[in-house]
Amino acid sequence: MALRPILTLPDPRLRLKCAPVAVVDDKVRALMDDMFETMYDAPGIGLAASQIGVLQRVMVVDIAKRQDESASANPMCFVNPEIVWASEELSVYEEGCLSIPEFYEEVERPAKVQVKYLDREGKACEIEADGLLATCLQHEIDHLNGVLFIDHISRLKRERIVKKFSKVARRETA
Ligand code: K1U
Ligand code: ZN
């Protein structure tokens, strides 16, 4: 297992659409292991492969600790996830992103979703999620499509945050 650097705004790789995985093999499982290590270290409750510069439709999620600090880990991996149903009912959650550190903003999304995906063994599965899990799954699937949570907030706030991170990146490369 290895810790991988997490890409931050405005890295253009965060805006690319990830390609479907053809076969869930040991290489994909090793990628997932690295992603879990990186996510827990950050710490975060989710991570998409594009956030570490791997443009494949793979994401990992563990919301257990965020909901109850004494809970044991509940690592979940998703390959080629697809939202097959989303509720008309919406919910608002204050989201963060490991690729946009220390910026949090409320986002409105469907309150419940059904997601089909392949698990760690390549088995076809489906999950119905609500609450934080529904929000997190939508946030991570957005990443796989090159979409960031700031795309769901006002243009003014988005432009302000992109400008701030672009300035920091310019300073770091100067
Ligand atoms: O995809 C990511 O960037 C990870 C992101 C997931 C997420 C958070 C909140 C709502 C939707 C999706 C994060 O994990 S941000 C960090 C975070 O939530 C956290 C920070 C400290 C402790 C526990 C969680
Ligand atoms: Zn994110």
Side-chain angles (χ1 to χ4, degrees):
M1 292 223 288
L3 265 183
R4 307 272 200 112
I6 297 175
L7 307 181
T8 54
L9 199 67
D11 193 304
R13 287 168 288 179
L14 291 169
R15 290 309 196 170
L16 300 176
K17 196 171 165 149
C18 297
V21 170
V23 186
V24 184
D25 56 15
D26 286 347
K27 211 171 160 203
V28 174
R29 282 185 279 273
L31 167 66
M32 287 170 182
D33 291 343
D34 286 358
M35 288 172 65
F36 276 119
E37 187 176 346
T38 305
M39 179 190 78
Y40 288 127
D41 177 75
I45 57 171
L47 190 72
S50 50
Q51 292 180 278
I52 56 165
V54 177
L55 298 175
Q56 293 183 22
R57 301 187 80 79
V58 176
M59 60 193 221
V60 297
V61 169
D62 188 345
I63 61 161
K65 286 252 187 280
R66 175 78 178 252
Q67 291 188 316
D68 170 7
E69 196 40 55
S70 63
S72 40
N74 182 24
M76 303 168 83
C77 8
F78 300 84
V79 177
N80 300 342
E82 263 178 65
I83 296 174
V84 291
W85 173 84
S87 65
E88 280 181 26
E89 183 199 346
L90 303 175
S91 71
V92 176
Y93 197 88
E94 187 175 73
E95 298 191 19
C97 181
L98 297 174
S99 297
I100 312 173
E102 288 164 38
F103 178 72
Y104 297 89
E105 194 59 58
E106 288 191 335
V107 175
E108 191 175 50
R109 298 183 186 267
K112 293 181 186 165
V113 286
Q114 261 171 16
V115 175
K116 71 170 192 180
Y117 62 99
L118 302 178
D119 71 7
R120 205 180 155 83
E121 310 309 324
K123 192 179 92 183
C125 301
E126 204 161 300
I127 186 173
E128 182 163 334
D130 60 8
L132 178 57
L133 183 57
T135 295
C136 192
L137 290 174
Q138 291 173 78
H139 178 116
E140 302 311 331
I141 291 171
D142 268 359
H143 271 302
L144 301 180
N145 292 322
V147 174
L148 301 174
F149 87 97
I150 53 170
D151 299 333
H152 298 286
I153 67 176
S154 78
R155 188 168 149 186
L156 183 69
K157 284 181 183 168
R158 180 169 59 253
E159 286 177 354
R160 217 180 271 160
I161 195 74
V162 171
K163 211 167 166 182
K164 184 178 159 190
F165 276 79
S166 302
K167 209 169 160 184
V168 172
R170 271 201 306 275
R171 223 182 288 140
E172 282 170 357
T173 52

